[in-house]
Amino acid sequence: MSSYIFIVIGAVLVNNVVLVRMLGLCPFMGVSKKLETAIGMGAATTFVLTLGAGTSYLIDRYLLQPNDLAYLRTLSFIVVIAAIVQLTELVIHKTSPLLHRVLGIYLPLITTNCAVLGVPLLNVGLNHNLFESLLFGFGSSLGFTLVLVLFAGIRERLDGADVPAPFKGTAIAMITAGFMSLAFMGFAGLDRFH
Amino acid sequence: MKDRYTATRTSLRTAGIMLLFTLVFTALMAGTYRITAPAIEASELAERMRLINDVLPPENYDNVLLEDFVEVGPVAELGLDQGGRIYRARRNGEPAALILEAVAPDGYAGRIRLAVGVDTGGRLTGIRVTAHRETPGLGDYIDPKKDRERAKPWIGQFANISFAEVAPERWAVRRDGGAFAYRIGATISARAVTDAAGRALAWANERRDALFAAETGSRI
Amino acid sequence: MTLQGFRDSAFNGLWKQNPGLVQLLGLCPILAVSSTMVNAVSLGLATILVMAVANLAVSVLRNFIPYEIRIPVFILIIAALVTMVDLSFNAYFHELYLVLGIFIPLIVTNCIVLARIEAFAAKNDPLSSTLDGILMGLGLVWVLAVLGGARELIGSGTLFAGIDMIFPNLAPIEVFGHDYPGFLIAILPPGAFFALGCLIALFNWLNTRATVRAHVRPKPVAEPAVVGETSAAS
Amino acid sequence: MTKRLHRFKGGVDLDYHKAESAGVPIRSAPLPPRLIVPLRQNARSVAHGIVTAGEHVLKGQRIGEAEGVLGTAVHAPTSGTVIEVTEHPMAHPSGLDTHCVVIEPDGDERWVALEPLDHRSIDRQSALNRLREAGVVGLGGAAFPSHVKLGSGTGVDTVVINGAECEPWITCDDRLMRERADQILAGAAILSDLIGAKRVLVGIEDNKPEAIAAMRAAAAAQAAPIEIVAIPTVYPAGGEKQLIRVLTGIEIPHGRLGTDFGVQCFNVGTAAAVHRAFALGEPLVSRIVTLAGNVERPGNYEVLIGTPVASLLELAEPRADTDRYILGGPMMGFALPDLSVPVIKGTNCVLSASPTLFPRSKPPLPCIRCGECARACPAELQPFELYWFAHSRNFGKAQEYHLFDCIECGCCSYVCPSHIPLVDYYRYAKSEIWARERETRAADGARERFEFRNFRQEREKAEKAAKLAAKAAETKAKLAQTETAPAPAPTEAAPQSEDDAKRALIAAALERAKQQKAAAKPKNTEDLSAATLAEIAEIEARRKALGLSEGDAGDVRPALPTLPGPTTAATPPAPPGGDPEPLAREDRP
Amino acid sequence: MLTALLIMAAIALVLGAALGFASIRFKVVGDPLVEKIDAILPQTQCGQCGYPGCKPYAQAIANGEADINQCPPGGEEGIRKLADLLGREFKPLSEEFGVEKPKAVARIDEQTCIGCTLCIQACPVDAIVGAAKQMHTVVEPLCTGCELCVAPCPVDCITMEPVAETVETWKWKYPVIEIRKRA
Amino acid sequence: MIQSPYIRKPASVQRVMFTVLLALTPGIAAYVWQVGAGILVNLAIASATAVAAEALVRRLRGRPIAPAIGDLSALVTAWLVVLCFPPIVPWWVTVVAVTLAIAAVKHLYGGLGQNPFNPAMVAYCAMIVAFPSLMSQWPPAGGLDFATQLDLILGGARNLDAITGATALDALRTGLRGAESVDAILRQPPFGTLGGRGWEWIAAGYLAGGLLLLALRVITWHMPVAFLATLAATAGAFWLANPAQFASPLFHLASGGAMLAAFFIVTDPVSGATTPLGKIIFAAGIGLIAYLIRAFGAFPEGIAFAVLLMNLCVPLIDMKTQPRVFGHRRGKSP
Ligand SMILES: Cc1cc2nc3c(=O)[nH]c(=O)nc-3n(C[C@H](O)[C@H](O)[C@H](O)COP(=O)(O)O)c2cc1C
Ligand SMILES: Cc1cc2nc3c(=O)[nH]c(=O)nc-3n(C[C@H](O)[C@H](O)[C@H](O)COP(=O)(O)O)c2cc1C
Ligand SMILES: Cc1cc2nc3c(=O)[nH]c(=O)nc-3n(C[C@H](O)[C@H](O)[C@H](O)COP(=O)(O)O)c2cc1C
Ligand SMILES: Cc1cc2nc3c(=O)[nH]c(=O)nc-3n(C[C@H](O)[C@H](O)[C@H](O)CO)c2cc1C
Ligand code: SF4
Ligand code: SF4
Ligand code: SF4
Ligand code: SF4
Ligand code: FES
């Protein structure tokens, strides 16, 4: 049980996908200008990432590993993820127009979020089982959402700051992300017993 | 526009094209795999051998080391709670040395994984850290690649040491009244490695014969 | 491609539309593997290779790819190429392969690859597409090289650490001598962000200066007045 | 009195400086040589002038007719001659001009016939009308029409009379309460009747013991349920919402009226004016103004509306180092851009300011988010957040953080250690937001009309095409009947394309025009007189002289210098490139 | 090799079919973005952006054909809002399309007006009233200041006059002036 | 046109910051008394660096320099940096840290009042990550003589095992790693009655200064109380559960930077939450995270990281805890 908790804590805080593992940075920088969009992106990513982690695990465990086809991982994972994204869009479009309005514009962007491919690959590397893979996927996307939302909050506040001209815009955002990453180093060791 | 694209028709068409592309590119990939596979295998082997050579110089044995091993279950003394593999080096068919996996559970930032070589004389042939999370710039000197003293890495002090040179009661870092050097400000890492090495050595000395006697690939 | 076209492409890829500094695409590899120059450049070169070949492939095949499934097909092509590169690294630069780790497969999701295919290769002839891929990739590589160099230098006082992974007979340079204490934060994740932030700022500053120079008399920019630098109007 | 008082959060303690002017009885200000009576009484309503230059008016004679819901009548403050009806700067921070009636007093102070009226003898609506006709507006500062505040006459059980006078230096209400307590209470009783209230609460800050005593004495003599309550002295206890909160515990949110919560608040001066409007039939032509600050002879004066501030100031003898004059108190007033502006109904104080008395604020530093302002804000806002958003022009966020709940009391600016002119930012943001709302409304209207026009044009086009087609068919039929040569192209083509339809239309019009035997028509115009034609010719010549090509009438030429009309037709043409006149006018400071 | 091909083929078939099916079944219709963009544009309908009115320009922006900095009447403020809406970077108004000017309204010199109705036809928002051969006037509150009526007038009797500030439209100024010294 | 109000309370940023500096003096005095005068050298170095960095950046940006230095906020930052650092840290570490705090953390965001992160804490975190060994060498219990301190500060031999020691917190976690019990560890030399030896007095000095700030209404009670209470409560819970593994709440309050943080660091108005409820959440969050890092994390003292982590949350905290506006019902937007 506690090892499951440590998987989540590890993925959310200690080895945060964005700030420590450095995955999913493009959406992290790109859709963090407004709080609302950050929340939408976070929700969409959480859904796809968790699902993708599970499916990828199944494919790897039951299709690729038995046939010794490890080299097909990248290809099959990304193709499956793309499919999940498309089908998710399809399903929520049909079933919940409201949700579609909230998540719709983010879904297509997710395919090129490397966390979505990175997390399943990490799962393979970490020898996670199905449940752990799901948990790790969920934890990672939670970590992604958390930092995205916090970052958006800060960026909104920075809107009016008198930042030196060359640093205006992405430069200061990048530096802020650096401070965030520094702050998250404080969590180092909290998953020590894992 | 001759005929209207119905959903089924389009699906079939796209599926077909998709299939074509997939086949072509998968074939390409598979081809690459075929070509590179031997090289990859060789590199992986070389990688593993490099580590083993660090722990046990190659002149000490003449068997195919990677094919001569036993599996062990969880061993508290080695810090292994999942079990591990022990390689057996032989020279002219005679037991020469063991290469153990060990884990120091009490590193500064978590576990430190080690590879430990012990020869039949109860002597450490070498130790290497295979995985650790000690603080960069502080505790990471236990890994010779990160050690600033490139010429004389800290971990080198364990080579050719047995309980004859350092009695078990003095098997500790100097700060704890022992015989081994450590680096100021990062005693914990040194202490963890030293203690783990000592435990591994004692364990190996005790079980040596049983380990060498077992069938290769068997489980103890 | 005309000379002018080539020049435009080059300027775009290397400077004006630089993927790392302007488009902010492909950030993960830029930040993650730039802790040493050798790692950074190696991954950059791998990316160039993928981009060039992928662009070439797509522009050759562009007329056979139905619109609806273009993205999956693009991804397929990229993934196949990346896997090939991955396998080759594994086979021939095994140590480097271990260091770059997960980031070689992740070239697949490196947004810049797909973005260039979509924006350029799918619409242009093979030659210019390949060139575009190479130039965009070069834009990425120089950013990677600068970042990697700066972080490595500040962080550990060396340059070309790990060069022996590629050329076993070369050795890294210890720029600040053996006693340099190492400003470790530069090679840790926060350092990556700081370094890229500063590089972007420098880039902005150079651009502004160039515009100002070009326009001799700078256009007054309406900038918000700021308390502290201001006094109440009277 | 053992009334349980409530508290409002925030507020500040100030140096009140009341003694200087409170000791002297109210005096009448002498008649100035000219009275400038603005027809606009506040930013929202303006009266419609009904006198012309040269006309003689009597004191209290109506010179401006109430207009609109928020309008009230304007009266001549004295008898005399209307010299002109003109534009004159008004007592408003903008210093912009407004319509004013300038009266030269004849010195007789002859009243029009006054008709006292008992409000109980008439119905409510007529009584409200009387107030509107008497020009009674709030004298507490906002000059909001009192009859509007009296509302529907139901649902209100408490009238609050505001005698707090919380701003430093100002003592006009204090003096009024000391000297005319019975008038105030009588007025309060009328207000209470008109609004249907059951009780009247008069709130007076406890730093005015004399006023409290006077009011209590007067109240004791009254039968009506009037309660005089001493409230703690905290700026801005006189703010309507704050006073209501203190006296009744009710909090009125922004955008809601006191009447929704069963209370309504009037200034003491307003109450007195209401009393006079009924008991004496007097319209509101004067008010009490405090002259204080850096002056030799501070005091309170009964001042006719329209008296220029400059002539009023002479009475108080400002000292030599006075550098600014502030209309209103130091917390909420504004510095006068021009001393010729007249006193209006909302003017309660003219404060002479010197650098020693009111030191110039130090240059602002950045906000350190210390929260002092939030602790001082009586509206319980987060002023620094509002400031941050207003400063970065993020008006949406500013509104989200309740910018419009800010009563501009100035407490936040007062306490800010960084000396940030916070209220200025709020004023700026509010007026920007209003401007934007106006623009959005205008844009919505424009979009609607544009869409309607497009729709109409489409329809007309369609109709015309249909008509033309019908006609063409007819012609064709006719032609076929007469069996002449093949049908002419235009008619044949007409129904096929819009372009042709148009051409046909023009052709038809030309035909008609010819039939009407119209004169030569430059650019599709008909029936021009010879004079006009000549004019056109001349203009045409000038256009040529300016090098403007013809025939590009359809183009957008925003920078085209427009030429003066016939009034200047005789003057030589403007030199090429000369500034078009309208543009020059716009950079008026 | 064969297994690889088979597995990928299976995945591809499923995926290709699903996507093709989806692309037909769930075509996106309607574009609410255009409405949102149009709501930001000032509705001056002046055509300075190069499109025959604000809506067409909005459509063009939504289609990615036009840049966001082509509307002079909307000014910097408008561009900022568009940039916000579309998640793009702000860029200054393109001089190609004109400059931001203070708002003005058309005024017809009633002495000169010959009643030709050409301006009525030109006005996109029906802000001019009058009938043929009668004097025309501009209904000031309705005029958007687009200047489209100025050019067609045969006798040049239409001038653009800046809107004067009144107490109602007067705005408090931004509270500070810069005294920043240039290094 | 200058607008109303025309009168202002005689308050200024300078006065606020001066009060903070003044309030720090009892703590510094205790520091000098207990640990030695080396800290004064560091304070001087840091102050000079802060002023120089502030002036340099303002100069680069073409902004007037005098008001920015006159507001004394840079000195507050500099002093707090020094008070968090080991007193024998080499001079160049202080210089790098203060420059980082002022030039990067403060001025890259536009200067005073606009930085979302606490400059002093960023400096601390950056330095402990960059130079962990220098940053964890403290003078041994009982102090060092001034000459040795000065030598160390000016870059003297550092690898003198004998003269450096660990802080109480560091010794505690080192001991615990060695599987000793808390009781046994607390009998070792670095420990005094409550926290580290001598540190009780320094903490008391900070407490006194903090009370002064409270009395002068420079800070409100919310943050110190919430922070100390949460730290104590969390420590108490673990202590009650297993007194052999976890130190007592009193130990946690008296050791490390707890008191300094409670009154001077957590309370930084610029980078902290501003609403009353927000302040409580903010400070409580710091208390909780700081304890978790102390007890389970990789760093002996977790307050700095906890402050940064909560700085990250400030915009959201502020947004979600906006107080009720006069006349409005709670939580209802117009
Ligand atoms: C941020 C930080 C990281 C540290 N990392 C390590 C480490 O990786 N290994 C280690 O042995 N000590 C590390 N330490 C030091 C220990 O806390 C402890 O002080 C030291 O190991 C024992 O001190 P000594 O060597 O002076 O006896 C670290 C300290 C800090 C503050
Ligand atoms: C901050 C503030 C302070 C005020 N102080 C007073 C005051 O002291 N006395 C007063 O009569 N009105 C004061 N007013 C105006 C009142 O809010 C309110 O408009 C007035 O009492 C209504 O009465 P009236 O309509 O009769 O003017 C103040 C308003 C504000 C916003
Ligand atoms: C930390 C920092 C670093 C700076 N680095 C540079 C630099 O490398 N080159 C430069 O010309 N200006 C540099 N500046 C100064 C400003 O970037 C430069 O003066 C700017 O264009 C003015 O900004 P402003 O217009 O917002 O005042 C730096 C400023 C700061 C605060
Ligand atoms: C009560 C109080 C506490 C402060 N605490 C800090 C602090 O912890 N760190 C810091 O860098 N500055 C601190 N300052 C100074 C100032 O707020 C700081 O320099 C700003 O963060 C710079 O913008 C403090 C100021 C006050 C009034
Ligand atoms: S009082 Fe001034 S400095 Fe303090 S928070 Fe308010 S605006 Fe900022
Ligand atoms: S002026 Fe507005 S924000 Fe400032 S204290 Fe008064 S009500 Fe609050
Ligand atoms: S320029 Fe602006 S106002 Fe004019 S038509 Fe285009 S969008 Fe409308
Ligand atoms: S009157 Fe003229 S300027 Fe005004 S909207 Fe109509 S065409 Fe445009
Ligand atoms: S490279 Fe774009 S998200 Fe990672």
Side-chain angles (χ1 to χ4, degrees), chain E residues 44 104-106 119 122-128 138 142-150 158 160:
Chain E
T44 309
V105 291
C119 56
C123 179
V125 294
D126 289 344
I128 305 181
V138 176
L142 301 188
C143 173
T144 63
C146 71
E147 305 190 359
L148 291 181
C149 54
V150 175
I158 305 182
M160 298 305 297

Side-chain angles (χ1 to χ4, degrees), chain F residues 232-307:
Chain F
T234 323
F238 280 96
W239 177 61
L240 285 178
N242 185 355
Q245 268 293 313
F246 299 99
S248 75
L250 268 181
F251 172 84
H252 276 283
L253 290 185
S255 57
M259 278 299 156
L260 179 67
F263 295 99
F264 297 91
I265 293 173
V266 175
T267 52
D268 176 19
V270 172
S271 55
T274 49
T275 62
L277 179 62
K279 284 178 177 177
I280 290 176
I281 296 175
F282 173 78
I286 296 177
L288 179 69
I289 299 177
Y291 182 81
L292 292 179
I293 295 179
R294 275 182 175 188
F296 305 108
F299 296 92
E301 175 57 300
I303 292 179
F305 286 99
V307 168

Side-chain angles (χ1 to χ4, degrees), chain C residues 195-215:
Chain C
L196 186 57
C198 291
L199 193 61
I200 293 176
L202 184 71
F203 176 84
N204 291 343
W205 181 71
L206 288 173
N207 274 340
T208 330
R209 212 180 50 159
T211 339
V212 170
R213 292 242 169 107
H215 282 245

